[in-house]
Amino acid sequence: MPGAVVPWCHARCRGAVVPCPVPQDARAYEEWKWFRCPTLLEVLHEFRSVPLPAVLPLCELPLLQPRYYSVSSAPEPGSARVDLTVAVVTYRSENGQGPLHYGVCSTWLAQLQPGDTVPAFIRGAPSFRPPPSPEAPCILVGPGTGVAPFRGFWQQRLQLLRGGGAALGTAVLVFGCRSSALDHIYRREMEEALQCGALSRVLTAFSREPGTPKTYVQDVLRAQLAEEVHRVLCESAGHMYVCGDVTMATEVLRTVQRILVQRAAMSVQQAGDFISELRDKNRYHEDIFGLTLRTQEVALRIRSQSFSMQERPAPAP
């Protein structure tokens, strides 16, 4: 459900805090840093001649930042259980040729044993909640672990149905993953929610399904849900929810914008303004993951901005 559980983990520190020996060349250092993505330990191994007092890392390294995970369960009366949906992150830098790196918190969580304690706190997410009226139609877009909050949504709708509550509006779920046999998580629960009426439709997009072309959630929106997107956003005062990494969220936004241009006879500018109005009215909701290795487009943009900041002339005193 809305909110986020934030574990405080003790794990390896990441980020190059010791400069590599590229004197007087900040751009070369930036290129090296973004290409290598080294951990502190890797920096110390590579530059063994750098004298580093042991107390320096303890005094200068920043505290490990909390990791935010969307809660993937609805609260149940009398229960203090909270579910999380976490992918264990592993990746290689240097265009896939570098050393294997591990996600800090996801790896730590994966190594826990039943009964272990997880230091955590709850952070509210008031802008990413089910519609105030259960009758409002909604479209839920969540590839991979982005399905996490929507599991809480359909669990809550199941509770309303079983409790004989108010009539429910339509709820269309668009879920994407690599392969139906590999990472179609919560498949059985989705089918149960569909059979019980907590979900109206479940549409899937597989990007690595054998024998089929790559399909992403934005492709499903464009090819199968254009009319539904227009109806929900323009005619029925409904809601749209998007949860996942920033690259996916950007592509979904562009797709919705194009649908509005085609179906609502808007210009591109008008469609963009309309989506901004939906955000202001809390009808277009986004829960976007932080920067990861998958969001290469954003990483390159940040790197370019870093270069431009270095090359910009210093302001006058």
Side-chain angles (χ1 to χ4, degrees), residues 94-250:
E94 303 176 38
N95 295 328
Q97 303 302 312
L100 184 63
H101 289 184
Y102 298 89
V104 175
C105 192
S106 63
T107 302
W108 180 77
L109 287 172
Q111 295 172 349
L112 293 175
Q113 300 299 317
D116 287 348
T117 299
V118 178
F121 62 88
I122 300 292
R123 187 183 72 164
S127 62
F128 205 90
R129 297 177 179 271
S133 171
E135 298 180 2
C138 53
I139 299 173
L140 317 174
V141 183
T145 54
V147 76
F150 305 136
R151 181 172 181 257
F153 281 29
W154 77 59
Q155 286 183 358
Q156 184 182 50
R157 289 167 64 91
L158 280 171
Q159 292 175 11
L160 291 173
L161 286 173
R162 291 164 179 166
L168 299 180
T170 59
V172 179
L173 172 65
V174 184
F175 172 70
C177 62
R178 291 169 293 177
S179 166
S180 59
L182 181 64
D183 48 7
H184 192 345
I185 55 179
Y186 303 128
R187 182 176 195 167
R188 185 176 300 176
E189 291 188 26
M190 291 179 191
E191 293 172 351
E192 178 187 353
L194 187 61
Q195 293 171 0
C196 295
L199 292 174
S200 307
R201 297 173 68 186
V202 175
L203 302 175
T204 52
F206 301 119
S207 61
R208 301 292 188 276
E209 189 76 355
T212 61
K214 290 183 179 182
T215 306
Y216 299 96
V217 289
Q218 59 267 25
D219 300 323
V220 172
L221 290 174
R222 181 175 57 254
Q224 302 182 53
L225 282 180
E227 183 177 348
E228 181 75 3
V229 169
H230 175 255
R231 182 187 70 84
V232 168
L233 297 183
C234 299
E235 299 176 354
S236 304
H239 296 249
M240 187 163 187
Y241 298 82
V242 182
C243 182
D245 70 32
V246 65
T247 301
M248 179 279 303
T250 301

Side-chain angles (χ1 to χ4, degrees), residues 298-312:
V298 177
L300 292 174
R301 189 185 314 134
I302 293 175
R303 184 177 64 173
S304 299
Q305 292 171 351
S306 176
F307 290 160
S308 63
M309 286 293 292
Q310 294 168 6
E311 296 166 358
R312 189 176 303 167

Side-chain angles (χ1 to χ4, degrees), residues 9 14 29 34 45 59 70-71 81 86 96 98 121 149-150 155 161 182 205 257 296 316:
C9 304
R14 293 175 53 191
Y29 167 67
W34 283 97
H45 273 302
C59 296
S70 298
V71 175
R81 173 176 175 144
V86 181
F121 62 88
F150 305 136
Q155 286 183 358
L161 286 173
L182 181 64
Q257 192 173 10
Q296 189 66 25

Side-chain angles (χ1 to χ4, degrees), residues 222 225-228 230 258-266:
R222 181 175 57 254
L225 282 180
E227 183 177 348
E228 181 75 3
H230 175 255
R258 286 194 291 267
I259 290 173
L260 294 175
V261 169
Q262 296 167 359
R263 299 277 174 165
M266 298 181 185

